């Protein structure tokens, strides 16, 4: 059984919906999954000042928070972050910054990694955000498994680096989004399984 850690940050809910879909699909494929959000690092007065942000924070408050051990445990890791000026959120970066001890011990190497993101505008920094996560995975010594154009759905969503979604007020994922997420996690599990065997 492949052990998959899905570690993500979501301010308004789209990233959470994406991570949840990845986890559900992975479990259907027989993986053992740890779905973990990263800690909110923005000041509470800032979060509470934006209704959608405050509502989402309240809705996930009782859900598990990512710890470095979740990556040490995993055979494969999928990270997700909204775009912030073409880069990962400070919240996800704060979590990544806690991984130094594991990195020094080589405990982040030789795992399969992939990534997802969302933005409020078309493109909106999606590819550069995923590439920023891929750069981190390179430093880990990770085995990067992008979806590429390995399935017809990738010609619909158009992102070979990972999965990127354009958000709207509903945080509903389209059929194309769902198919792209399913394909990515299935590919990650397939490659991780081959490496484990």
């Amino acid at each position: 059984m492949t052990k998959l850690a899905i570690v993500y940050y979501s301010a308004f809910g789209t990233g959470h919906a994406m991570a949840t879909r990845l986890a559900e699909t992975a479990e259907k494929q027989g993986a053992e999954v740890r779905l973990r959000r990263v800690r909110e690092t923005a000041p509470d007065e800032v979060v509470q000042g934006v209704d959608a942000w405050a509502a989402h924070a309240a809705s996930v408050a009782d859900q598990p928070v990512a710890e470095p051990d979740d990556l040490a445990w995993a055979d494969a890791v999928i990270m997700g972050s909204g775009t912030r000026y073409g880069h990962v959120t400070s919240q996800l970066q704060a979590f990544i910054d806690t991984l130094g001890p594991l990195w020094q011990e080589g405990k982040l190497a030789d795992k399969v990694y992939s990534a997802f993101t969302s933005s409020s505008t078309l493109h909106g920094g999606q590819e550069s955000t995923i590439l920023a996560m891929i750069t981190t995975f390179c430093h880990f010594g990770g085995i990067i498994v992008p979806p590429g154009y390995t399935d017809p759905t990738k010609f619909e969503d158009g992102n070979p680096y990972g999965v990127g979604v354009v958000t709207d007020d509903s945080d509903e994922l389209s059929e194309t989004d769902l198919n792209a997420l399913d394909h990515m996690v299935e590919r990650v599990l397939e490659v991780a399984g081959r490496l484990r065997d």
Side-chain angles (χ1 to χ4, degrees), residues 47-159:
V47 175
Q48 296 306 317
V50 180
D51 290 344
W53 198 352
H56 180 67
S59 74
V60 298
D62 62 345
Q63 295 184 7
V65 173
E67 299 292 345
D69 180 63
D70 295 315
L71 270 67
W73 164 86
D75 301 310
V77 178
I78 300 177
M79 281 195 184
S81 172
T83 64
R84 290 296 183 274
Y85 309 108
H87 207 278
V88 299
T89 59
S90 61
Q91 291 87 345
L92 182 65
Q93 187 61 53
F95 173 74
I96 290 169
D97 289 345
T98 69
L99 300 175
L102 286 179
W103 170 79
Q104 287 178 320
E105 295 172 19
K107 292 184 177 176
L108 300 175
D110 304 326
K111 299 173 185 291
V112 167
Y113 291 89
S114 203
F116 66 93
T117 190
S118 62
S119 61
S120 59
T121 59
L122 186 63
H123 305 299
Q126 290 184 8
E127 290 181 356
S128 59
T129 299
I130 291 173
L131 290 170
M133 287 185 267
I134 288 173
T135 299
T136 299
F137 305 154
C138 288
H139 283 259
F140 292 167
I143 299 160
I144 299 161
V145 177
Y149 290 105
T150 57
D151 186 88
T153 194
K154 296 310 293 178
F155 292 92
E156 294 177 32
D157 93 315
N159 190 332

Side-chain angles (χ1 to χ4, degrees), residues 25 146-154 163 178-188:
T25 301
Y149 290 105
T150 57
D151 186 88
T153 194
K154 296 310 293 178
V163 176
L178 296 172
N179 290 339
L181 290 162
D182 290 350
H183 173 63
M184 184 173 73
V185 72
E186 288 166 2
R187 183 165 157 76
V188 162

